[in-house]
Amino acid sequence: MRPGLAGLLLLLSGSTALAYQTLWIKQLTLVVGIEVFAVSIGVAAFFAGLATGAAIIGLGVDRSSRPLLWYAGLEAGVAVLGLGTTLLMPLIPGPFVWLDSSVGALAWLLPTAMVAVPAFCMGGTLPAAMRSLLPADEALGRDAGSLYAWNTAGAVAGALLTPFALVPALGVRGAGLAVALACLLTAGFALWLARRAPDPLPAAAAAAAGFDGPDRGFMLGLVLYACAGAIAMGYEVLWSQIVAPLTSTRGAAFAMVLAVYLAGLAAGSAAWSRVADRITDRWASFGLLIAGAGLLAVLTYAVLGPWLADAQQALGRAVTRASGSHALGMYSRFLLAAIVVVLPATLLLGAAFPAAVRLTGEAERAGASVGRVTAWNMAGAICGTLAVGFVAVPALGLARTLLLLACLAAVVGVIATLASPERSKACLLYTSPSPRDHG
C-alpha cells in the first residue's frame, strides 16, 4: 500500500481516538467528582489500553498476510466499544459509589476498564498500518516516523474539534455517535483498500519465534524510550500548569497545550523521518534529541516574562480587528502562549520516535517493532503523568520539577551516547597499542 493512503487512515484514526478520549475525560469528571482524578485516570487508562494493544496486536499483524483486514476490524471495534463506553459512562456513578464503599480503591477498575478496552483496539492501528507498507530496512525510520506524524496530526484535530465544535453542536452523546460513525467509515475505507490490494503480503518468517532485536542493546533502547515517554508526559503536565495563568480558563489551557504538544510531536517525527535511516550513530543522535528537549524546556521557562503577556494582548487585538470575533482573538492569545512554552521541546521529543524505531526495530517485523516501541513509550508516559502530577509538583513545585525532568533527560542522553557502538569503536581504536608500542 502507498504510504499516503496509510497516512490518511491513521489521520482518521488519530482524530477519532482523541475525540473519544476527550469525551471520556469530560464524563469521568461527573463520575468521580474531582477533575484532577478524572484527568489522571482517563489519561492513564487510555495509555494503558494503547500500550497493551500496540504490543499484542503488533505481534499478530506480522503473522498476517492481510493487515488491512486487521485495521478494518480494529476500527469497527473502536466504533462499537467506544460508543458503548460513551453511552454507559453516565450510568456508572451509582455503581462506582457502591463499589467505592465496598471494595475501596478497587472501584477505580470500573472506569479504568471502560476506557482501556476500546483504547486497546486503538493501539493496534499504527502497527497494522506499518505492516501494510512492508517497509525495506533502509526505509524503516522514514515510514515509521511518517505514519506516526500522520496519526498524531489526526489527534490534534480530534483534540480541538471535540471540545470546540462537536460537543457544543451535538452534546456528548451526539458527539459520541458522530465519532462512532467516523470510525465505521474509516473501517470501510480500510476494507476497500484491502480488497484492492493485488496480492497478500508474505508473513514475517520469524514472527512466531519472537524477537531478539537487531543488536544486544535493543532492550536498553526500549527502556530509554520509556524514560523519554515519562519525561515527555511530565512536561505536558507542567506546561498545562504554566500556561493556565496566561489563559482565562483551565479547560482552554489544557486543550491548547494538548493540541500544540501533539502538533510538535507530529512535526518533529515528520522532519526526523527524512534523515533517520541515513544517520550512522543512531544512539548518540537519540540521546542528543532527548537531552536537547530537556535543555530547551528549561531555557523556554527561563525566558518567560511580561513580554509574552504583551505579545498575547497585541495578537489578540489584531485578530479581533481582522476577524470581528472576540472569541478568535481570545483563542489566538491562548495559542500563542502554548506555542511559546510547549513547541520547542516537543519538536525534539517527536523526532525521538523514528530514532527509537531505528534503534530497536527490524523492517521484516515492522508491526511488532512499532508496537513494541509505542508500548514502552506509553508505559513510561503513564508513570510520568502520575509521578509528576501527584508526587513531584506537590513536593517540589513547578520550577524544581522542570529542572528535575531536564536532569533526567540529560541522564538518558548520556546513557544513550555511552551505549553507542560508534563510540565503542572509537575508544577501542584509541586504546589499541600501535606497532611502535610493541617495538
Side-chain angles (χ1 to χ4, degrees):
M1 183 173 63
R2 286 180 294 177
L5 292 175
L8 180 57
L9 278 175
L10 286 169
L11 181 75
L12 297 171
S13 295
S15 63
T16 54
L18 258 292
Y20 267 139
Q21 185 197 28
T22 304
L23 291 176
W24 296 335
I25 290 177
K26 184 178 182 68
Q27 291 179 304
L28 280 170
T29 303
L30 300 177
V31 173
V32 303
I34 302 175
E35 183 180 9
V36 66
F37 289 170
V39 172
S40 298
I41 196 68
V43 171
F46 188 76
F47 282 173
L50 289 179
T52 308
I56 295 175
I57 296 171
L59 293 172
V61 294
D62 276 342
R63 300 188 181 99
S64 172
S65 61
R66 295 286 189 181
L68 286 175
L69 293 181
W70 279 71
Y71 200 106
L74 291 169
E75 278 298 314
V78 172
V80 173
L81 296 171
L83 180 59
T85 292
T86 306
L87 297 179
L88 291 175
M89 193 73 77
L91 305 179
I92 71 166
F96 177 78
V97 171
W98 179 82
L99 286 171
D100 188 49
S101 62
S102 301
V103 296
L106 292 177
W108 291 94
L109 292 177
L110 176 60
T112 298
M114 293 183 68
V115 172
V117 171
F120 176 88
C121 295
M122 297 173 186
T125 54
L126 180 58
M130 188 67 185
R131 164 67 177 153
S132 71
L133 293 183
L134 202 65
D137 184 67
E138 62 271 14
L140 180 62
R142 181 197 66 194
D143 289 344
S146 176
L147 292 188
Y148 178 80
W150 278 103
N151 194 226
T152 311
V156 175
L160 290 176
L161 288 176
T162 305
F164 296 123
L166 284 180
V167 173
L170 304 174
V172 172
R173 181 171 296 186
L177 288 168
V179 175
L181 178 60
C183 290
L184 291 176
L185 291 175
T186 304
F189 182 38
L191 188 60
W192 179 73
L193 289 174
R195 290 180 175 176
R196 290 182 70 244
D199 298 303
L201 298 178
F211 179 71
D212 297 324
D215 58 55
R216 291 177 298 176
F218 90 102
M219 182 56 71
L220 175 62
L222 293 173
V223 171
L224 292 179
Y225 195 50
C227 294
I231 293 166
M233 284 305 299
Y235 279 136
E236 187 186 2
V237 172
L238 292 178
W239 288 329
S240 297
Q241 301 293 322
I242 293 170
V243 172
L246 303 172
T247 64
S248 58
T249 65
R250 187 170 294 275
F254 179 79
M256 288 298 177
V257 167
L258 179 60
V260 174
Y261 175 83
L262 293 171
L265 294 181
S269 181
W272 196 261
S273 68
R274 297 177 177 273
V275 299
D277 298 301
R278 298 197 297 270
I279 291 176
T280 55
D281 195 345
R282 295 165 182 169
W283 282 95
S285 62
F286 173 78
L288 288 173
L289 288 172
I290 303 302
L295 178 61
L296 277 177
V298 171
L299 291 177
T300 301
Y301 183 76
V303 301
L304 293 181
W307 66 268
L308 179 55
D310 294 340
Q312 285 182 279
Q313 293 299 324
L315 178 63
R317 287 193 296 268
V319 172
T320 300
R321 284 197 302 268
S323 65
S325 170
H326 290 285
L328 286 179
M330 177 181 66
Y331 289 137
S332 68
R333 296 198 304 271
F334 298 171
L335 183 61
L336 177 62
I339 288 174
V340 169
V341 174
V342 176
L343 188 61
T346 52
L347 290 171
L348 298 186
L349 292 171
F353 179 81
V357 172
R358 280 276 33 160
L359 280 181
T360 64
E362 279 189 339
E364 65 182 30
R365 300 170 181 134
S369 296
V370 169
R372 182 172 41 251
V373 168
T374 303
W376 279 80
N377 186 249
M378 290 294 177
I382 296 171
C383 297
T385 301
L386 299 177
V388 170
F390 290 101
V391 180
V393 171
L396 302 175
L398 292 177
R400 288 191 179 93
T401 303
L402 192 72
L403 184 59
L404 173 62
L405 291 177
C407 292
L408 293 176
V411 170
V412 170
V414 169
I415 293 174
T417 303
L418 293 176
S420 169
E422 300 297 323
R423 181 184 179 279
S424 300
K425 291 177 184 177
C427 291
L428 183 62
L429 290 174
Y430 180 77
T431 58
S432 296
S434 65
R436 184 180 303 171
D437 297 328
H438 291 291

